[in-house]
Amino acid sequence: MLVKTILNTIEKFKSFIYRKTYWEEIAGENSLVNELLPRKNSQGECCQCTKRCPTYDTQPSRDYEYVPLWGIRVYFRYSPRRVTCKEHGIHVELVPWADGKERMTKSYQSFLAHWAKRLSWKEVANIFKTSWESVYRSVKWVVDYGLSHRDWDDVEQIGVDELAVFKGHKYLTLVYQLDKGRRRLLWCGMDRKVKTLLRFFRQFGKERCLKLKFVCSDMWKPYLKVIKKKAINALNILDRFHIMKKFNEAIDEVRRQEVKKLEMEEKENVLVNGRWLLLKKAANLTQKQTHRLNKLLKINLASIRAYLLREDFQRFWTYKSPAWAEKFLEDWATRTMRSKIAPMKKVARMLRSHKKLILNWFQAKGELSSGPVEGLNNKAKLAMRKAYGFKSVNCLQIALYHQLGKLIEPPTTHRFC
Ligand SMILES: [Zn+2]
């Protein structure tokens, strides 16, 4: 069977034909070159209006990289025509297999982007002997297509989250859709200021804002301010995931202070490797870890007391009645304020001052769980790692949309992977 036959099966073009296939050394590698020709008497399309126009001249041939076959590089070779459009003047014609000046075919870009969902960008580049930049451009092409075709009409529940990037020196604001079965990243923007979230709501549009029923967020003031102003019909909920995150931050702070203190007093430092023991839910510990935790608990350290305060607070989420939940929260805060552990007292004060929004959780119960927010947050962190090597925020945003956006993909005639 000829390669031509395969190509005509998986990637047939109406106005072009595959002429012949041959070996050629390209960039030091034996490659498979497929020559393409325009159909006889056909005219090229203007790249601005896609009207067929008379040929002006023919350009030297260009190679477009195609999906590799059996580890062999494959190229399309074509000499594009320049066409004279009455409206737009002289331009290089539009070809169906590649975009503008791009030298990778659309099929190859889709192919790389598919793999970049499963593996890190660097691994994809290594496996297919291409550059990190090529993988990046491929993902970007697929994401750009998806973003220009995305649909925001069925959004009733959203979550606003922040993500520390570039070693925590900067932040991204992420907006997720949380409706059941439609969980995805809707939007992400640099920073976590009032301006940042306003940008999302402006893009989201007034009408859609009015339809929002629930907005999940953390206690970050600029977010709360914008949500109150823009999502006027929605219940703003401070969700479980974000609140428990504050507890973990506080426990970690207590632990760090205590490690320092123990070091200075040269006592046996039981806390050095204890970080994860204290941050994990008790139910998730292994037997060995439980044993170590029990040992830790015997010593009356502030870290342990902070840990116990958090474990105790978990009961809050099991209440059915908001009134009882409120009473519990008040009792807990009173006890914590007496604890003399400054970071925990800070948490208690924070809970008190945001009590109303926290209790909204019980109003929405049944309709909203913290699972999705936590899940999406973890996925976002994973996406960041997969795109490792990104140099700009823009690049990071593309990676996040690619992994979490559930975007529509550009149409293809054949699925390679
Ligand atoms: Zn035109």
Side-chain angles (χ1 to χ4, degrees):
M1 183 162 59
L2 296 169
V3 175
K4 211 159 98 171
T5 316
I6 304 175
L7 284 171
N8 273 323
T9 313
I10 62 171
E11 191 113 28
K12 199 175 167 70
F13 304 115
K14 227 169 92 194
S15 312
F16 302 85
I17 54 161
Y18 294 101
R19 184 165 164 257
K20 55 179 177 179
T21 305
Y22 46 85
W23 287 106
E24 192 177 296
E25 202 178 293
I26 297 177
E29 246 186 88
N30 235 352
S31 309
L32 214 52
V33 177
N34 298 285
E35 254 183 37
L36 278 141
L37 281 177
R39 251 179 227 289
K40 248 189 201 148
N41 302 325
S42 76
Q43 285 188 327
E45 287 178 18
C46 166
C47 61
Q48 312 268 324
C49 62
T50 72
K51 267 191 202 132
R52 298 204 174 272
C53 308
T55 306
Y56 175 79
D57 65 1
T58 302
Q59 300 262 297
S61 73
R62 293 179 188 177
D63 290 343
Y64 305 83
E65 192 162 4
Y66 194 66
V67 183
L69 178 70
W70 299 334
I72 306 161
R73 276 178 195 272
V74 179
Y75 292 93
F76 283 0
R77 180 167 289 170
Y78 179 69
S79 303
R81 295 161 286 183
R82 282 202 295 176
V83 296
T84 319
C85 175
K86 272 184 198 152
E87 226 177 297
H88 304 101
I90 299 165
H91 284 292
V92 175
E93 70 176 306
L94 196 70
V95 292
W97 57 83
D99 254 0
K101 290 195 170 125
E102 182 56 65
R103 292 303 179 90
M104 285 188 281
T105 56
K106 292 176 183 175
S107 296
Y108 188 42
Q109 289 191 293
S110 283
F111 175 81
L112 290 177
H114 256 278
W115 280 106
K117 244 184 200 171
R118 303 182 180 104
L119 305 168
S120 79
W121 293 8
K122 199 160 169 268
E123 278 172 305
V124 176
N126 285 344
I127 291 169
F128 299 107
K129 292 188 220 158
T130 184
S131 64
W132 188 92
E133 269 73 24
S134 298
V135 178
Y136 160 71
R137 284 212 314 281
S138 301
V139 176
K140 184 176 184 306
W141 176 69
V142 168
V143 166
D144 283 345
Y145 180 90
L147 290 181
S148 62
H149 289 81
R150 77 184 148 180
D151 172 16
W152 276 354
D153 284 342
D154 61 345
V155 183
E156 290 183 346
Q157 308 178 0
I158 60 169
V160 181
D161 195 13
E162 57 178 35
L163 190 67
V165 294
F166 297 114
K167 290 181 182 157
H169 297 307
K170 285 183 176 169
Y171 285 92
L172 278 179
T173 294
L174 309 179
V175 182
Y176 302 113
Q177 176 175 13
L178 298 177
D179 296 88
K180 228 177 189 172
R182 297 284 293 148
R183 280 159 197 161
R184 58 179 169 151
L185 175 69
L186 294 178
W187 187 88
C188 65
M190 192 64 210
D191 264 326
R192 49 171 183 170
K193 298 180 186 152
V194 165
K195 256 197 329 209
T196 321
L197 193 56
L198 273 178
R199 253 179 25 231
F200 161 73
F201 278 115
R202 215 167 292 140
Q203 225 174 308
F204 194 58
K206 241 186 204 159
E207 240 170 80
R208 290 196 194 97
C209 283
L210 293 175
K211 278 194 229 155
L212 286 175
K213 283 187 183 152
F214 297 115
V215 182
C216 264
S217 70
D218 74 353
M219 283 166 242
W220 186 240
K221 246 192 207 140
Y223 289 165
L224 297 182
K225 201 172 145 190
V226 177
I227 292 166
K228 197 172 171 190
K229 195 174 148 201
K230 290 290 179 184
I232 49 170
N233 294 329
L235 194 64
N236 187 3
I237 299 157
L238 300 183
D239 75 289
R240 184 176 176 168
F241 166 66
H242 282 114
I243 290 168
M244 294 324 283
K245 214 163 90 180
K246 299 280 179 220
F247 276 81
N248 287 353
E249 282 163 14
I251 291 174
D252 212 32
E253 199 186 324
V254 177
R255 191 194 62 91
R256 266 183 280 123
Q257 286 170 4
E258 215 155 38
V259 165
K260 258 192 222 150
K261 210 176 116 205
L262 287 174
E263 264 168 11
M264 271 166 32
E265 292 167 4
E266 288 180 9
K267 281 189 186 154
E268 190 200 356
N269 210 332
V270 284
L271 281 174
V272 169
N273 296 316
R275 178 167 189 253
W276 296 109
L277 290 179
L278 295 178
L279 296 186
K280 260 180 147 177
K281 276 183 204 148
N284 294 343
L285 292 174
T286 64
Q287 211 177 359
K288 206 172 152 195
Q289 285 172 328
T290 310
H291 181 70
R292 276 185 59 205
L293 182 66
N294 284 339
K295 232 170 111 185
L296 271 174
L297 292 179
K298 282 190 186 133
I299 316 170
N300 186 26
L301 292 165
S303 308
I304 307 306
R305 279 181 288 135
Y307 168 83
L308 292 173
L309 282 170
R310 185 200 62 182
E311 280 307 291
D312 187 28
F313 189 80
Q314 297 284 12
R315 278 197 285 148
F316 175 74
W317 306 107
T318 61
Y319 280 95
K320 294 271 181 310
S321 124
W324 283 104
E326 183 177 356
K327 193 182 169 306
F328 175 85
L329 192 148
E330 277 303 331
D331 286 350
W332 184 90
T334 308
R335 265 183 290 137
T336 304
M337 290 310 283
R338 287 193 206 119
S339 73
K340 290 185 192 142
I341 308 171
M344 292 309 280
K345 281 161 79 175
K346 207 174 119 198
V347 172
R349 274 195 296 271
M350 203 167 52
L351 293 181
R352 269 187 174 152
S353 65
H354 293 90
K355 199 165 73 181
K356 195 177 155 274
L357 295 182
I358 295 170
L359 290 171
N360 278 347
W361 154 272
F362 295 95
Q363 271 193 58
K365 213 161 187 185
E367 293 216 46
L368 219 74
S369 74
S370 68
V373 184
E374 185 168 9
L376 285 163
N377 185 284
N378 286 336
K379 273 190 196 159
K381 283 183 195 152
L382 188 68
M384 240 164 59
R385 280 205 294 278
K386 272 193 186 154
Y388 177 77
F390 57 79
K391 287 148 196 131
S392 65
V393 179
N394 185 256
C395 186
L396 182 57
Q397 286 171 309
I398 289 166
L400 289 168
Y401 280 129
H402 188 47
Q403 293 285 348
L404 303 172
K406 291 193 180 162
L407 299 173
I408 299 169
E409 290 171 18
T412 47
T413 47
H414 180 70
R415 184 102 194 213
F416 288 89
C417 57

